[in-house]
Amino acid sequence: MGPMFDGPEPIYLQIAQMIRAQVLAGELAEEEQVMSTTQFATTFRINPATAAKAFAGLVDEGVLYKRRGLGMFVAPGARERLLAEHRARFFDEVLDPALAQADLLDIPAAEIVEHVLGRPRPAAAGARGAPRPPPAPGRGDPAPRPR
């Protein structure tokens, strides 16, 4: 069976986040059909109305669209829109506070750039559909980088 929706947020939000993550990772491509609300409900043992609420939100966001009589599909440009949103959030929520902290610590910009450029990265990092490094054993996150 797939993921268990046991997080603190409502199940429909967890479903929407799971589908967004699949689109971002390239696991769901543009114009690819997603499971129907009935299939989703049966597979994950949830109320079909919960799945429908998640899908409706994703339609409103422009991630999915409905083809009458055929089902839900990933919208053209959905991955690019999600990437743009996530990048903007990264700068606002992660990088800007980190740079503010670096200012407090008197870390020069050149040292930050040197650190970023010297960090090991997968060969195809950022490439669309590029394979990701395998997660650390027993975890969903990559192993922490040694310092």
Side-chain angles (χ1 to χ4, degrees), residues 53-76:
K53 187 171 183 177
F55 287 8
L58 292 168
V59 167
D60 290 345
E61 293 174 22
V63 175
L64 299 179
Y65 72 96
K66 185 175 185 173
R67 286 188 191 163
R68 175 168 263 187
L70 294 176
M72 293 287 192
F73 293 80
V74 177

Side-chain angles (χ1 to χ4, degrees), residues 58-137:
L58 292 168
V59 167
D60 290 345
E61 293 174 22
V63 175
L64 299 179
Y65 72 96
K66 185 175 185 173
R67 286 188 191 163
R68 175 168 263 187
L70 294 176
M72 293 287 192
F73 293 80
V74 177
R79 184 173 187 274
E80 288 74 21
R81 278 191 298 282
L82 288 170
L83 281 171
E85 290 170 14
H86 282 251
R87 286 178 177 145
R89 194 174 317 124
F90 170 78
F91 285 109
D92 291 343
E93 297 175 6
V94 176
L95 194 56
D96 289 346
L99 293 173
Q101 184 69 25
D103 286 341
L104 289 173
L105 297 172
D106 291 326
I107 300 173
E111 187 176 338
I112 294 168
V113 169
E114 180 181 322
H115 182 79
V116 169
L117 294 177
R119 156 179 104 82
R121 291 180 50 107
R128 184 177 187 156
R132 289 184 266 166

Side-chain angles (χ1 to χ4, degrees), residues 132-145:
R132 289 184 266 166
R139 298 197 43 180
D141 301 330
R145 180 176 58 130

